[in-house]
Amino acid sequence: MPPYTRSCSNALSSLADQVSWNDMTIPELKLQLKSRSLPASGVKAVLIQRLEEHQSSMEPPKPASPAKKSKYFTVENVNPPTPLKGTVEFFTSENTTPIKPSSKKKRSTSVTPERNGSPNNDTKIESPAKGEHVSPRKRIKIEPGSLAPPDDWERIYKLVEELRSDRTAPCDTDGGEALPEKHLGPKVYRFQVLIALMLSSQTKDAVVGETMRGLQKHGLTVENIMNTDSETLNLLIRRVGFHNNKTKFMKQTAQIIISQYNGDIPPTAEEIMTLPGVGPKMAYIVESIAFGISSGIGVDTHMHRMFNDLKWVNSTTPEQTREQLEAWLPKQKWGAVNLLWVGFGQEVQQQKEKMLRKILGCSKPREALALVKKLRLDVKKEAKRFGMEEEIKKAMDV
């Protein structure tokens, strides 16, 4: 017998020797318990609960509802007792079985619509009971080319291409496409593309550029990185975000490339994703720059935010944005879309005066101003800040 149950039983036996506790009222029982210095919880609570149950059982039972008669059978209505909340174990000479309520909860079902809006009456989702853990349902993948493109996407896309034609955003000078050394051969070039993208995570392009140039002076080849001790390598990349992890990833990646890929980086995005610290965004960009192949779109936070602002996608993560974008954007644009829009986002957020002056000089300034407004640029505030109010007002009135 468990200690808790034993204490309840002993206390009841001791009490029953002196008084008939079943005949007491609750106030009388409380006085008896208090006089015996029993604790305020535990035994006392169980005894009081037991008394209430006993008194309830002494009440005359409610008359049963008349039996329901059917053509084929008779069903007797039985009123089942309401189970107690939790498990109560209380033993007397008349009761030796613990009362345990059922833990099963009824699940409700609902019909889920198809992707095109029509209901699918054969598919039902079970709603979990409160507090019950249910494995997440596998999300259905959106296939490339399966969605209709936004109505005005081509007009906006061409306008962004015009505004980005000068290639003067931070990613144009300090990004994964501009930094690698081509004169050392294709293998070294591809390895440096990979390293530049690994360093870029959670780090500004200017810091990546400075770090890459330092690594190149040290010797940014796969063999040299493998032979460089971790302490020295960590010191060389100390300014980038999460440099401790990236040091470890770079060392592990160099070992994998030498042992499994003959000193070259993996040739496909799927294989690149297996390298330490490399995700889909990074892998697709590396594949595009290093091999000229675009099996997917590399989507970063700039693109994720902008495409949601433009209503081109309806997503909560960059990965969902990538999948939805691939579902309607022509494949010939997949390789260039990242550099084009990342640079545009950088200029809208970080180089506002330059962006406004470029807008004033473009072929459609009014449309361009409306575009950057959608992308959260406060045109009126920035025009006032840079003394461009009259020029901006004139462009908006055209």
Side-chain angles (χ1 to χ4, degrees):
M1 182 181 295
Y4 176 74
T5 305
R6 191 183 302 115
S7 64
C8 295
S9 180
N10 293 341
L12 180 61
S13 299
S14 176
L15 187 62
D17 291 342
Q18 301 179 40
V19 293
S20 178
W21 64 275
N22 280 345
D23 297 329
M24 289 185 185
T25 64
I26 291 177
E28 290 173 344
L29 178 60
K30 287 181 177 180
L31 288 174
Q32 288 289 339
L33 295 172
K34 185 176 180 181
S35 66
R36 286 162 175 75
S37 299
L38 289 173
S41 60
V43 174
K44 180 187 291 187
V46 176
L47 289 176
I48 293 173
Q49 180 181 7
R50 186 63 186 167
L51 176 62
E52 290 173 337
E53 292 173 355
H54 175 75
Q55 289 179 344
S56 298
S57 66
M58 297 298 291
E59 296 178 1
K62 295 181 180 179
S65 303
K68 293 182 180 179
K69 293 186 178 181
S70 166
K71 180 179 178 181
Y72 304 102
F73 56 84
T74 300
V75 179
E76 294 184 1
N77 293 326
V78 179
N79 297 323
T82 303
L84 296 173
K85 293 182 178 180
T87 300
V88 179
E89 292 185 352
F90 192 89
F91 293 87
T92 65
S93 59
E94 298 177 352
N95 180 24
T96 59
T97 304
I99 303 170
K100 295 185 177 180
S102 174
S103 61
K104 294 183 178 179
K105 296 185 179 181
K106 188 176 180 181
R107 293 183 176 183
S108 61
T109 59
S110 59
V111 178
T112 181
E114 287 284 8
R115 196 170 288 279
N116 60 7
S118 60
N120 177 5
N121 294 326
D122 296 330
T123 305
K124 293 185 178 181
I125 301 174
E126 291 187 340
S127 302
K130 186 177 181 181
E132 184 177 356
H133 174 73
V134 177
S135 300
R137 187 181 172 210
K138 189 175 181 180
R139 184 169 59 87
I140 299 174
K141 188 181 186 320
I142 303 173
E143 295 298 329
S146 62
L147 297 180
D151 293 335
D152 61 345
W153 79 271
E154 287 183 287
R155 177 179 57 82
I156 294 174
Y157 202 97
K158 288 178 181 178
L159 187 56
V160 172
E161 286 178 327
E162 180 184 349
L163 293 169
R164 285 278 289 120
S165 60
D166 61 347
R167 289 293 190 266
T168 57
C171 62
D172 295 313
T173 55
D174 291 314
E177 191 169 343
L179 291 169
E181 299 172 302
K182 295 182 179 180
H183 65 278
L184 296 178
K187 283 188 178 182
V188 174
Y189 172 76
R190 288 193 282 265
F191 178 66
Q192 291 191 10
V193 169
L194 175 62
I195 295 301
L197 267 296
M198 292 177 73
L199 295 175
S200 69
S201 176
Q202 302 295 315
T203 307
K204 290 184 177 181
D205 285 324
V207 176
V208 174
E210 184 181 339
T211 303
M212 279 290 292
R213 285 183 277 273
L215 284 170
Q216 288 166 348
K217 288 180 182 178
H218 173 74
L220 188 48
T221 64
V222 63
E223 294 82 7
N224 199 32
I225 292 300
M226 190 181 72
N227 293 328
T228 301
D229 63 272
S230 297
E231 186 176 350
T232 300
L233 184 57
N234 196 31
L235 190 63
L236 285 167
I237 68 167
R238 65 189 182 280
R239 292 196 59 200
V240 303
F242 302 100
H243 56 88
N244 292 327
N245 286 336
K246 291 176 183 178
T247 296
K248 179 175 64 176
F249 296 154
M250 288 171 64
K251 294 284 288 181
Q252 292 172 346
T253 295
Q255 178 63 47
I256 292 170
I257 288 173
I258 289 174
S259 62
Q260 299 181 27
Y261 294 96
N262 194 28
D264 202 351
I265 69 171
T268 66
E270 291 298 322
E271 291 175 280
I272 294 170
M273 288 181 211
T274 65
L275 298 175
V278 179
K281 178 202 83 170
M282 201 179 298
Y284 289 127
I285 297 173
V286 170
E287 181 189 55
S288 177
I289 298 173
F291 298 104
I293 300 170
S294 298
S295 62
I297 299 173
V299 174
D300 77 339
T301 53
H302 288 286
M303 297 168 66
H304 171 60
R305 175 183 54 80
M306 288 188 292
F307 292 156
N308 273 280
D309 288 344
L310 293 174
K311 310 299 183 187
W312 285 5
V313 297
N314 182 14
S315 61
T316 56
T317 66
E319 183 61 14
Q320 291 177 9
T321 296
R322 176 191 67 80
E323 192 175 273
Q324 293 179 30
L325 193 62
E326 289 175 1
W328 62 263
L329 186 69
K331 196 163 186 179
Q332 61 266 27
K333 295 189 180 294
W334 287 14
V337 64
N338 179 274
L339 184 63
L340 177 72
W341 283 86
V342 168
F344 188 62
Q346 289 176 337
E347 290 180 316
V348 170
Q349 286 189 328
Q350 304 168 20
Q351 300 175 334
K352 298 174 183 177
E353 182 181 6
K354 185 183 80 173
M355 174 54 67
L356 289 176
R357 296 199 181 280
K358 286 169 67 173
I359 287 173
L360 292 174
C362 77
S363 62
K364 298 177 181 178
R366 187 174 181 179
E367 290 186 24
L369 287 171
L371 171 60
V372 294
K373 278 184 177 181
K374 285 184 180 179
L375 301 180
R376 312 185 195 186
L377 177 62
D378 191 335
V379 172
K380 189 176 291 187
K381 176 183 173 182
E382 299 304 328
K384 184 178 180 180
R385 177 184 172 192
F386 299 116
M388 302 169 63
E389 292 174 285
E390 290 299 323
E391 296 170 275
I392 295 294
K393 185 177 179 182
K394 184 178 178 180
M396 295 179 72
D397 292 339
V398 172

